[in-house]
Amino acid sequence: VVGFILLLAMTANVPADDLPVLRKQAAAGEAEAQYQLGELLYEARGVARDLDAARRWATRAADQGHARAQYRLASMQLLGEAGPRDAQTGLALFKKCLPALTKEAEDGLADSQGKLGILFARGVGVKQDADAAAQWFSKAAKQGNIKAQADLASAYLAGQGFTANPTEAGRWFTRAAKAGHGPAMIHLATLELQGRGRRQNLKAGKQWLMKAA
């Protein structure tokens, strides 16, 4: 059974090409740049993964009231990444960022929509609501948010917020996989190998597993 949503998987589509500019802006104290730099370091896109630096930049942006940085920092606190696990502080920070995160999502920011979907899927800081999670994933996925596309696929596969539909799940896993999302590649490979929602294709399944490795 494919697990539903991982709280701390990739969350943003941040271009690594902008790294020198981001570093300069982050050092100058710009909260958005600090958040984006932290995401690049967390996700190891174009740079070596550095959880300590990711947490430092997330903290600096979070201290300025940046909602998505607060979400990232809360996630790292909750899981004990680059620091001691502190579930109480992490949950409190999730609740603190929720109003601003919700406003950004309602204003159409895909990154915030995907993050809000995670909170509803997990019931973190809000009452668990699979329907709300699915709708936020859908909004973000349709804007091209890669992580949300994978989360939407998982929702379709598990029947969380939708009637279970492995064919639709495969369609969204494919989009995320082609964009380089590792977990989506593995899920897509599984569907290909099992012939779920599609004709079985052992060759394609093995190819996706090799790409994900």
Side-chain angles (χ1 to χ4, degrees):
V1 178
V2 179
F4 190 31
I5 306 301
L6 293 177
L7 184 61
L8 283 175
M10 294 190 295
T11 58
N13 304 335
V14 184
D17 294 345
D18 293 338
L19 184 59
V21 175
L22 282 178
R23 287 191 182 279
K24 183 176 180 180
Q25 294 175 336
E30 295 184 21
E32 178 65 20
Q34 291 170 342
Y35 163 70
Q36 299 284 8
L37 180 57
E39 292 295 279
L40 286 179
L41 292 164
Y42 183 87
E43 297 171 7
R45 282 179 293 108
V47 294
R49 195 177 200 214
D50 188 339
L51 293 181
D52 290 328
R55 183 160 175 160
R56 286 197 301 272
W57 286 117
T59 299
R60 292 186 188 185
D63 287 346
Q64 296 191 62
H66 191 287
R68 284 166 288 139
Q70 290 173 339
Y71 173 104
R72 170 60 69 203
L73 179 58
S75 297
M76 298 185 80
Q77 291 171 336
L78 191 65
L79 294 186
E81 294 183 311
R85 186 175 186 274
D86 189 343
Q88 184 175 356
T89 300
L91 288 171
L93 189 53
F94 273 128
K95 291 179 180 179
K96 181 178 180 179
C97 77
L98 186 61
L101 196 68
T102 300
K103 185 179 187 305
E104 290 177 353
E106 290 174 343
D107 288 343
L109 187 61
D111 189 14
S112 295
Q113 290 171 341
K115 285 176 165 57
L116 191 58
I118 292 290
L119 296 183
F120 276 111
R122 286 294 192 186
V124 178
V126 294
K127 183 178 180 181
Q128 191 171 28
D129 187 334
D131 291 337
Q135 293 307 310
W136 286 117
F137 291 148
S138 182
K139 289 177 183 291
K142 290 175 181 177
Q143 291 196 66
N145 186 278
I146 300 167
K147 173 59 168 54
Q149 290 172 348
D151 288 339
L152 180 60
S154 294
Y156 272 115
L157 193 61
Q160 297 281 353
F162 302 104
T163 300
N165 187 334
T167 299
E168 190 67 8
R171 187 169 75 88
W172 285 106
F173 276 136
T174 298
R175 292 182 65 172
K178 287 182 176 180
H181 190 276
M185 293 179 190
I186 295 172
H187 290 322
L188 180 58
T190 301
L191 295 180
E192 295 281 16
L193 293 171
Q194 294 178 346
R196 291 187 63 191
R198 60 188 56 220
R199 180 174 297 178
Q200 187 181 48
N201 189 330
L202 299 180
K203 181 179 179 181
K206 292 176 182 177
Q207 288 176 337
W208 280 117
L209 285 177
M210 291 179 64
K211 289 181 180 180

